[in-house]
Amino acid sequence: MRSRSSRRSFVAGLASAGALAALGLPRRAIGAPVGSAAELGFTELPDGALDEQSLYALPGKLPLIKKTFRPPNFETPVEYFRTPITPNKAFFVRYHLAGIPQSIKADDWSLDVAGDSVERPLKLSLQQLRKEFEPAQVTAVNQCSGNRRGLFEPHVPGVEWGVGAMGNAVWRGVRLKDVLARAGVRSGALEVVLDGADQGAIDKTPDFVKSIPVDVALRDETLIAFEMNGEPLPHWNGFPARLVVPGWTGTYWVKHLVSVKLMSTPEKNFWMSTAYRLPRGLFKTPTFASQLYAPNEPITSMVVNSLVTSLRSGQQVPRGKTIPVRGIAWDGGSGIDAVEVSSDFGGSWQPARLGKDLGRYSFREFALDLPAREPGALVVMARATAKSGETQANRLIFNPAGYHHNVIQRLYVEVV
Amino acid sequence: MRLAVALISLAAASCAWAQESRVVLKDAPGKDKVMQCVACHSLDYIQMNSHFLDKAGWTASVNKMINVFGAPIPKEDVEPIADYLAQNYGKRP
């Protein structure tokens, strides 16, 4: 831990903190409270959010960053992103509604497959799903649409997430398309509507129901998953089965899945028609064609992003040593093409070494050692580019609900 | 006191895992009306969304809870709730 005086000397070492502020730089973290975003070189969370959050362990989980108790919203601390696979016990927890099943017995669980576009409605037990369908698995990032919402400037209301409303896991289960084929897909099928066992605390609250386009539902990699990293899904991550929609944001990955309906009409409940929407055309993500009945459009796949996990803003590195820049990068499914690192505030960039390719939907590790030659302050930045050609945003692409924050991180490192 | 008991029993009944009774709002006029919010969610949602909303912002949030999520909050309580939130958890000048 750095002493107070070394912090002061760091500020002095900046020579002109005011000049940096004039460049529009985010505040540097001082004291580093739990889950500070400034500590990672971002705009800080709202002060109330930062004060309120603390580490707390839900049953079966490690201590995570508590955003809210009920419904439970818990964020993964940054240290668990130093491996490309996020441990189940550290995986983030996100619920919209407080009516969460306290426990679900796998033997009691069943999945209804129905809707106006299936030939034969089905009811399947977990045993049937396991035995009667071919197993399938995918390594994929599950990221909340609002991950990094708390870093928005100006702040927008909602769960004020820092960087950890995401995780990467090996998901194993069966293909949704195989289950739908068993029920028989009629022509004219438009969307697959998904419901989980959670509900509002009161009847009037709209149930959390989501839909995905039929072409996404029929992809090989869209799964009904029972396992995560070789173990049954943790309760808080959707036991006994959840949808896995690689590339698409977490809102579509319905937990405690109990109903799948193949429909010929668009699903227009609150969670589709009003929530999880973006100004149309603001991002170059895929369009959800059957949901364009309003001036805005639903969020779909993730934008390219990265996270440096090896540095803290304000960290000191002795002259003559190296500054280790390590982290992870991901996108909506094209795969990571390159991660570049800058130590001169974006004036020049050099390529980082990419880690093992775990698949196009997975976190991809990157690493680069920067020389710490001259005493003084450096601004370290990492910028991921996807195989689609998309690269991270230099400035926030503001949208009122606080989605798709992929602004390049700016970390201050002092060479002493 | 009665509120505290209600809060604890609610937490125990609906959500045994949550330590939400440790979340305490500031004492100020209107707090009794704000406590209606615990019917559906823990009160840390309020602190988490401070201090950046002005009274119009908090009013919009309260109205969303009523109109979208069906919160059984009487119309006449919207104003005192929004006042409390703006005063205690609102944007600072």
PDB file of all heavy atoms in Angstrom, chain A residues 109-129:
ATOM      1  N   TRP A 109     -37.942 -29.224 -11.833  1.00  0.00           N
ATOM      2  CA  TRP A 109     -37.893 -28.230 -12.900  1.00  0.00           C
ATOM      3  C   TRP A 109     -38.336 -28.835 -14.225  1.00  0.00           C
ATOM      4  O   TRP A 109     -38.042 -29.999 -14.519  1.00  0.00           O
ATOM      5  CB  TRP A 109     -36.451 -27.709 -13.012  1.00  0.00           C
ATOM      6  CG  TRP A 109     -36.244 -26.704 -14.109  1.00  0.00           C
ATOM      7  CD1 TRP A 109     -36.360 -25.363 -14.016  1.00  0.00           C
ATOM      8  CD2 TRP A 109     -35.861 -26.974 -15.459  1.00  0.00           C
ATOM      9  NE1 TRP A 109     -36.083 -24.772 -15.223  1.00  0.00           N
ATOM     10  CE2 TRP A 109     -35.773 -25.749 -16.128  1.00  0.00           C
ATOM     11  CE3 TRP A 109     -35.597 -28.155 -16.173  1.00  0.00           C
ATOM     12  CZ2 TRP A 109     -35.422 -25.635 -17.469  1.00  0.00           C
ATOM     13  CZ3 TRP A 109     -35.251 -28.051 -17.515  1.00  0.00           C
ATOM     14  CH2 TRP A 109     -35.163 -26.804 -18.158  1.00  0.00           C
ATOM     15  N   SER A 110     -39.043 -28.040 -15.022  1.00  0.00           N
ATOM     16  CA  SER A 110     -39.314 -28.468 -16.396  1.00  0.00           C
ATOM     17  C   SER A 110     -39.388 -27.251 -17.297  1.00  0.00           C
ATOM     18  O   SER A 110     -39.582 -26.124 -16.828  1.00  0.00           O
ATOM     19  CB  SER A 110     -40.621 -29.263 -16.482  1.00  0.00           C
ATOM     20  OG  SER A 110     -41.697 -28.445 -16.099  1.00  0.00           O
ATOM     21  N   LEU A 111     -39.184 -27.507 -18.559  1.00  0.00           N
ATOM     22  CA  LEU A 111     -39.181 -26.439 -19.562  1.00  0.00           C
ATOM     23  C   LEU A 111     -40.365 -26.632 -20.498  1.00  0.00           C
ATOM     24  O   LEU A 111     -40.530 -27.702 -21.095  1.00  0.00           O
ATOM     25  CB  LEU A 111     -37.868 -26.500 -20.358  1.00  0.00           C
ATOM     26  CG  LEU A 111     -37.720 -25.470 -21.479  1.00  0.00           C
ATOM     27  CD1 LEU A 111     -37.594 -24.061 -20.920  1.00  0.00           C
ATOM     28  CD2 LEU A 111     -36.512 -25.807 -22.349  1.00  0.00           C
ATOM     29  N   ASP A 112     -41.173 -25.581 -20.626  1.00  0.00           N
ATOM     30  CA  ASP A 112     -42.277 -25.603 -21.585  1.00  0.00           C
ATOM     31  C   ASP A 112     -41.791 -25.049 -22.917  1.00  0.00           C
ATOM     32  O   ASP A 112     -41.189 -23.973 -22.962  1.00  0.00           O
ATOM     33  CB  ASP A 112     -43.431 -24.718 -21.087  1.00  0.00           C
ATOM     34  CG  ASP A 112     -44.239 -25.415 -20.008  1.00  0.00           C
ATOM     35  OD1 ASP A 112     -44.561 -26.600 -20.187  1.00  0.00           O
ATOM     36  OD2 ASP A 112     -44.515 -24.767 -18.972  1.00  0.00           O
ATOM     37  N   VAL A 113     -42.082 -25.777 -23.969  1.00  0.00           N
ATOM     38  CA  VAL A 113     -41.760 -25.310 -25.316  1.00  0.00           C
ATOM     39  C   VAL A 113     -43.086 -25.204 -26.052  1.00  0.00           C
ATOM     40  O   VAL A 113     -43.781 -26.211 -26.240  1.00  0.00           O
ATOM     41  CB  VAL A 113     -40.804 -26.292 -26.046  1.00  0.00           C
ATOM     42  CG1 VAL A 113     -40.402 -25.732 -27.398  1.00  0.00           C
ATOM     43  CG2 VAL A 113     -39.579 -26.584 -25.176  1.00  0.00           C
ATOM     44  N   ALA A 114     -43.459 -24.000 -26.401  1.00  0.00           N
ATOM     45  CA  ALA A 114     -44.787 -23.788 -26.965  1.00  0.00           C
ATOM     46  C   ALA A 114     -44.774 -22.577 -27.889  1.00  0.00           C
ATOM     47  O   ALA A 114     -43.728 -22.193 -28.400  1.00  0.00           O
ATOM     48  CB  ALA A 114     -45.798 -23.595 -25.827  1.00  0.00           C
ATOM     49  N   GLY A 115     -45.930 -21.977 -28.116  1.00  0.00           N
ATOM     50  CA  GLY A 115     -46.049 -20.802 -28.971  1.00  0.00           C
ATOM     51  C   GLY A 115     -46.829 -21.116 -30.242  1.00  0.00           C
ATOM     52  O   GLY A 115     -47.026 -22.287 -30.595  1.00  0.00           O
ATOM     53  N   ASP A 116     -47.263 -20.050 -30.942  1.00  0.00           N
ATOM     54  CA  ASP A 116     -48.106 -20.258 -32.133  1.00  0.00           C
ATOM     55  C   ASP A 116     -47.317 -20.762 -33.340  1.00  0.00           C
ATOM     56  O   ASP A 116     -47.880 -21.069 -34.368  1.00  0.00           O
ATOM     57  CB  ASP A 116     -48.888 -18.972 -32.467  1.00  0.00           C
ATOM     58  CG  ASP A 116     -48.000 -17.850 -33.000  1.00  0.00           C
ATOM     59  OD1 ASP A 116     -46.793 -18.064 -33.239  1.00  0.00           O
ATOM     60  OD2 ASP A 116     -48.519 -16.726 -33.163  1.00  0.00           O
ATOM     61  N   SER A 117     -45.988 -20.834 -33.211  1.00  0.00           N
ATOM     62  CA  SER A 117     -45.185 -21.271 -34.348  1.00  0.00           C
ATOM     63  C   SER A 117     -44.489 -22.607 -34.120  1.00  0.00           C
ATOM     64  O   SER A 117     -43.507 -22.924 -34.796  1.00  0.00           O
ATOM     65  CB  SER A 117     -44.159 -20.190 -34.719  1.00  0.00           C
ATOM     66  OG  SER A 117     -44.828 -19.026 -35.152  1.00  0.00           O
ATOM     67  N   VAL A 118     -44.963 -23.382 -33.159  1.00  0.00           N
ATOM     68  CA  VAL A 118     -44.466 -24.759 -33.040  1.00  0.00           C
ATOM     69  C   VAL A 118     -45.566 -25.731 -33.470  1.00  0.00           C
ATOM     70  O   VAL A 118     -46.757 -25.438 -33.327  1.00  0.00           O
ATOM     71  CB  VAL A 118     -43.974 -25.136 -31.611  1.00  0.00           C
ATOM     72  CG1 VAL A 118     -42.825 -24.253 -31.173  1.00  0.00           C
ATOM     73  CG2 VAL A 118     -45.101 -25.118 -30.599  1.00  0.00           C
ATOM     74  N   GLU A 119     -45.135 -26.866 -33.969  1.00  0.00           N
ATOM     75  CA  GLU A 119     -46.098 -27.905 -34.399  1.00  0.00           C
ATOM     76  C   GLU A 119     -46.698 -28.608 -33.172  1.00  0.00           C
ATOM     77  O   GLU A 119     -47.889 -28.872 -33.125  1.00  0.00           O
ATOM     78  CB  GLU A 119     -45.381 -28.965 -35.252  1.00  0.00           C
ATOM     79  CG  GLU A 119     -44.663 -28.416 -36.488  1.00  0.00           C
ATOM     80  CD  GLU A 119     -45.625 -28.140 -37.636  1.00  0.00           C
ATOM     81  OE1 GLU A 119     -46.811 -28.485 -37.524  1.00  0.00           O
ATOM     82  OE2 GLU A 119     -45.168 -27.545 -38.636  1.00  0.00           O
ATOM     83  N   ARG A 120     -45.834 -28.925 -32.196  1.00  0.00           N
ATOM     84  CA  ARG A 120     -46.275 -29.720 -31.044  1.00  0.00           C
ATOM     85  C   ARG A 120     -45.666 -29.138 -29.776  1.00  0.00           C
ATOM     86  O   ARG A 120     -44.449 -29.236 -29.604  1.00  0.00           O
ATOM     87  CB  ARG A 120     -45.744 -31.156 -31.124  1.00  0.00           C
ATOM     88  CG  ARG A 120     -45.816 -31.846 -32.438  1.00  0.00           C
ATOM     89  CD  ARG A 120     -44.898 -33.069 -32.489  1.00  0.00           C
ATOM     90  NE  ARG A 120     -43.526 -32.730 -32.867  1.00  0.00           N
ATOM     91  CZ  ARG A 120     -43.143 -32.438 -34.104  1.00  0.00           C
ATOM     92  NH1 ARG A 120     -44.019 -32.440 -35.099  1.00  0.00           N
ATOM     93  NH2 ARG A 120     -41.887 -32.126 -34.370  1.00  0.00           N
ATOM     94  N   PRO A 121     -46.454 -28.573 -28.907  1.00  0.00           N
ATOM     95  CA  PRO A 121     -45.891 -28.095 -27.635  1.00  0.00           C
ATOM     96  C   PRO A 121     -45.282 -29.254 -26.853  1.00  0.00           C
ATOM     97  O   PRO A 121     -45.774 -30.384 -26.923  1.00  0.00           O
ATOM     98  CB  PRO A 121     -47.101 -27.515 -26.903  1.00  0.00           C
ATOM     99  CG  PRO A 121     -48.130 -27.286 -27.955  1.00  0.00           C
ATOM    100  CD  PRO A 121     -47.891 -28.316 -29.013  1.00  0.00           C
ATOM    101  N   LEU A 122     -44.214 -28.959 -26.112  1.00  0.00           N
ATOM    102  CA  LEU A 122     -43.502 -29.982 -25.337  1.00  0.00           C
ATOM    103  C   LEU A 122     -43.333 -29.522 -23.906  1.00  0.00           C
ATOM    104  O   LEU A 122     -43.308 -28.322 -23.636  1.00  0.00           O
ATOM    105  CB  LEU A 122     -42.078 -30.186 -25.877  1.00  0.00           C
ATOM    106  CG  LEU A 122     -41.824 -30.528 -27.321  1.00  0.00           C
ATOM    107  CD1 LEU A 122     -40.316 -30.471 -27.570  1.00  0.00           C
ATOM    108  CD2 LEU A 122     -42.360 -31.925 -27.608  1.00  0.00           C
ATOM    109  N   LYS A 123     -43.160 -30.483 -23.022  1.00  0.00           N
ATOM    110  CA  LYS A 123     -42.703 -30.185 -21.677  1.00  0.00           C
ATOM    111  C   LYS A 123     -41.530 -31.121 -21.437  1.00  0.00           C
ATOM    112  O   LYS A 123     -41.664 -32.338 -21.563  1.00  0.00           O
ATOM    113  CB  LYS A 123     -43.833 -30.448 -20.672  1.00  0.00           C
ATOM    114  CG  LYS A 123     -43.591 -29.844 -19.302  1.00  0.00           C
ATOM    115  CD  LYS A 123     -44.792 -30.128 -18.397  1.00  0.00           C
ATOM    116  CE  LYS A 123     -44.815 -29.246 -17.167  1.00  0.00           C
ATOM    117  NZ  LYS A 123     -45.184 -27.846 -17.433  1.00  0.00           N
ATOM    118  N   LEU A 124     -40.380 -30.569 -21.111  1.00  0.00           N
ATOM    119  CA  LEU A 124     -39.169 -31.383 -20.996  1.00  0.00           C
ATOM    120  C   LEU A 124     -38.583 -31.271 -19.595  1.00  0.00           C
ATOM    121  O   LEU A 124     -38.452 -30.168 -19.060  1.00  0.00           O
ATOM    122  CB  LEU A 124     -38.119 -30.913 -22.013  1.00  0.00           C
ATOM    123  CG  LEU A 124     -38.486 -31.061 -23.496  1.00  0.00           C
ATOM    124  CD1 LEU A 124     -37.521 -30.246 -24.354  1.00  0.00           C
ATOM    125  CD2 LEU A 124     -38.473 -32.527 -23.914  1.00  0.00           C
ATOM    126  N   SER A 125     -38.223 -32.412 -19.029  1.00  0.00           N
ATOM    127  CA  SER A 125     -37.525 -32.396 -17.742  1.00  0.00           C
ATOM    128  C   SER A 125     -36.038 -32.175 -17.998  1.00  0.00           C
ATOM    129  O   SER A 125     -35.562 -32.313 -19.134  1.00  0.00           O
ATOM    130  CB  SER A 125     -37.737 -33.717 -17.004  1.00  0.00           C
ATOM    131  OG  SER A 125     -37.061 -34.750 -17.704  1.00  0.00           O
ATOM    132  N   LEU A 126     -35.307 -31.854 -16.947  1.00  0.00           N
ATOM    133  CA  LEU A 126     -33.871 -31.669 -17.087  1.00  0.00           C
ATOM    134  C   LEU A 126     -33.222 -32.969 -17.559  1.00  0.00           C
ATOM    135  O   LEU A 126     -32.343 -32.977 -18.427  1.00  0.00           O
ATOM    136  CB  LEU A 126     -33.282 -31.224 -15.737  1.00  0.00           C
ATOM    137  CG  LEU A 126     -31.871 -30.660 -15.775  1.00  0.00           C
ATOM    138  CD1 LEU A 126     -31.784 -29.421 -16.649  1.00  0.00           C
ATOM    139  CD2 LEU A 126     -31.401 -30.320 -14.359  1.00  0.00           C
ATOM    140  N   GLN A 127     -33.709 -34.076 -16.998  1.00  0.00           N
ATOM    141  CA  GLN A 127     -33.222 -35.405 -17.395  1.00  0.00           C
ATOM    142  C   GLN A 127     -33.400 -35.628 -18.895  1.00  0.00           C
ATOM    143  O   GLN A 127     -32.483 -36.089 -19.577  1.00  0.00           O
ATOM    144  CB  GLN A 127     -34.027 -36.449 -16.607  1.00  0.00           C
ATOM    145  CG  GLN A 127     -33.575 -37.860 -16.813  1.00  0.00           C
ATOM    146  CD  GLN A 127     -32.864 -38.362 -15.561  1.00  0.00           C
ATOM    147  OE1 GLN A 127     -32.275 -37.586 -14.816  1.00  0.00           O
ATOM    148  NE2 GLN A 127     -32.920 -39.663 -15.334  1.00  0.00           N
ATOM    149  N   GLN A 128     -34.575 -35.282 -19.401  1.00  0.00           N
ATOM    150  CA  GLN A 128     -34.838 -35.453 -20.837  1.00  0.00           C
ATOM    151  C   GLN A 128     -33.908 -34.583 -21.672  1.00  0.00           C
ATOM    152  O   GLN A 128     -33.389 -35.022 -22.685  1.00  0.00           O
ATOM    153  CB  GLN A 128     -36.289 -35.072 -21.155  1.00  0.00           C
ATOM    154  CG  GLN A 128     -37.296 -36.158 -20.871  1.00  0.00           C
ATOM    155  CD  GLN A 128     -38.696 -35.644 -21.181  1.00  0.00           C
ATOM    156  OE1 GLN A 128     -39.182 -34.744 -20.490  1.00  0.00           O
ATOM    157  NE2 GLN A 128     -39.323 -36.191 -22.198  1.00  0.00           N
ATOM    158  N   LEU A 129     -33.749 -33.352 -21.241  1.00  0.00           N
ATOM    159  CA  LEU A 129     -32.869 -32.462 -21.992  1.00  0.00           C
ATOM    160  C   LEU A 129     -31.458 -33.042 -22.043  1.00  0.00           C
ATOM    161  O   LEU A 129     -30.814 -33.042 -23.089  1.00  0.00           O
ATOM    162  CB  LEU A 129     -32.821 -31.072 -21.343  1.00  0.00           C
ATOM    163  CG  LEU A 129     -33.901 -30.080 -21.719  1.00  0.00           C
ATOM    164  CD1 LEU A 129     -33.702 -28.784 -20.933  1.00  0.00           C
ATOM    165  CD2 LEU A 129     -33.936 -29.775 -23.207  1.00  0.00           C
TER     166      LEU A 129
END
